[in-house]
Amino acid sequence: MQETGGASQNTELDELDASILRYLERSGRATNYEVGEAVGLSASAASRRIQALEGAGAIRGYRAEVDDRLLGKRMTVYIRVTLERQSAAVLGAFETAVRHCKEIVSCHLMAGQYDYMLVARVGGIDDYGRLHQNELSRLPGVTRLETSFALRDVLDGSRL
C-alpha cells in the first residue's frame, strides 16, 4: 500500500489495510472511530482508508447476516451438478439461470468429477423436492444432480 493511506487498484494491501478489512469482516457496522481505535488510527484516517478500500474493490459491500432458520430455512443442501458438456455457451447458460434460483446461496465451478457445486438453504425435504423438480432439473445443460443434506451446520459463514 501507499503511505498516503489508501488502497489502489495496482498495489497490494499493507498491514494496516489488512487489519481494517479483518475488523470490518467481524464488525461491518463499526463506526470510523471504532475501526480507528481497533487499528491505531484516528477516525478521519480510518475513514480515508476505508473509502480507498471501497474504491479499490477490496470492500465489495456491506450486508446483514440473517439466520436462515428464523426465516424457516433450516436445511443446508449440497448439490453436485454434471453438465452435458463444458462449452462456454453451456456454462454461461447454466450460470445465468442458476442466479435466478432464490434458494441457492452459492454456486462454484469445480475442477474434478463434477462441474458445479451448489449450496441451497431450504425449509425441509419437501421444499428441496420442489426446488429439485421445478428449478434444478430444468437448469440448462444439466444431465445429473447428486444431493447431500447437512445433518448439522458446524461452521457456517464468517469466522467471528
Side-chain angles (χ1 to χ4, degrees):
M1 282 308 305
Q2 305 165 1
E3 282 300 312
T4 56
S8 75
Q9 293 284 1
N10 300 326
T11 60
E12 292 186 22
L13 297 177
D14 65 15
E15 186 53 41
L16 199 50
D17 286 329
S19 295
I20 290 170
L21 291 175
R22 284 190 295 271
Y23 187 80
L24 287 174
E25 272 187 314
R26 291 186 314 273
S27 306
R29 293 183 62 167
T31 65
N32 292 329
Y33 176 81
E34 292 167 332
V35 173
E37 282 286 308
V39 301
L41 292 174
S42 68
S44 60
S47 175
R48 285 190 299 274
R49 289 268 185 159
I50 291 168
Q51 287 174 352
L53 289 164
E54 290 168 345
I59 298 173
R60 296 184 300 205
Y62 300 90
R63 64 185 181 96
E65 287 191 33
V66 177
D67 185 343
D68 285 336
R69 293 171 296 184
L70 297 175
L71 298 175
K73 295 180 179 184
R74 293 178 170 80
M75 183 179 285
T76 303
V77 184
Y78 297 89
I79 306 124
R80 290 166 298 284
V81 179
T82 303
L83 299 179
E84 60 192 1
R85 63 184 172 278
Q86 283 198 350
S87 68
V90 172
L91 295 173
F94 176 85
E95 290 175 12
T96 297
V98 81
R99 285 184 178 97
H100 298 288
C101 298
K102 63 180 177 155
E103 290 90 354
I104 303 299
V105 297
S106 68
C107 173
H108 309 274
L109 179 62
M110 304 296 289
Q113 186 175 359
Y114 304 99
D115 296 311
Y116 287 93
M117 172 68 78
L118 308 178
V119 180
R121 292 288 295 175
V122 296
I125 194 71
D126 291 338
D127 286 340
Y128 177 71
R130 283 188 287 281
L131 173 65
H132 183 278
Q133 182 176 3
N134 298 333
E135 297 187 54
L136 298 176
S137 64
R138 297 178 184 184
L139 290 169
V142 171
T143 59
R144 179 176 167 82
L145 298 168
E146 187 176 309
T147 304
S148 299
F149 300 94
L151 298 176
R152 177 177 57 226
D153 294 331
V154 177
L155 180 63
D156 186 16
S158 64
R159 295 180 174 265
L160 298 176

